[in-house]
Amino acid sequence: MKPEIFDDYTKQPCKVLAGHTRAVRELAYSKVHKIIVSVGFDFTIYVWNPYLENYIIKLDEHENPLIGVNCLPTLGQFVTADAKGIVKVWNIKDYSCVQTFQVTGVT
């Protein structure tokens, strides 16, 4: 699947983010760092500069489909979560994983 970015005025696609091999579940945007983070059912995280053609980095440290992502602009981090309850916190500056934990009660 290829997420598309739409022009607010024309409502037409103006850019396609090519990378994921399965459906994209969620996108998050960091206004402070000017990046888009996409997650999907292919277990992969892509970090994009919305002004460039290709992704900045591909992160594949999850072992299950990803179900959520959120950018924490004041902390310089983003958070991803997968279907088995594994949550990872990532540093936006070097894209390193700074913390991993599991949410209990998730099947």
Side-chain angles (χ1 to χ4, degrees), residues 39-107:
V39 299
F41 294 108
D42 58 3
F43 308 1
T44 307
I45 304 157
Y46 284 91
V47 180
W48 311 86
N49 176 328
Y51 304 103
L52 299 178
E53 186 67 29
N54 297 318
Y55 57 85
I56 296 169
I57 192 166
K58 174 183 172 183
L59 305 167
D60 56 3
E61 292 188 30
H62 279 276
E63 297 177 3
N64 295 284
L66 288 139
I67 59 169
V69 62
N70 200 343
C71 292
L72 309 171
T74 58
L75 299 177
Q77 299 173 330
F78 63 92
V79 178
T80 57
D82 70 27
K84 292 292 184 180
I86 302 297
V87 177
K88 293 184 179 282
V89 181
W90 304 86
N91 182 326
I92 283 181
K93 292 185 180 184
D94 65 4
Y95 310 111
S96 62
C97 182
V98 295
Q99 185 176 10
T100 301
F101 58 92
Q102 184 167 13
V103 178
T104 58
V106 177
T107 57

Side-chain angles (χ1 to χ4, degrees), residues 14-28:
C14 60
K15 182 172 177 138
V16 175
L17 304 175
H20 287 281
T21 58
R22 294 189 182 168
V24 173
R25 171 75 173 159
E26 194 167 74
L27 299 169

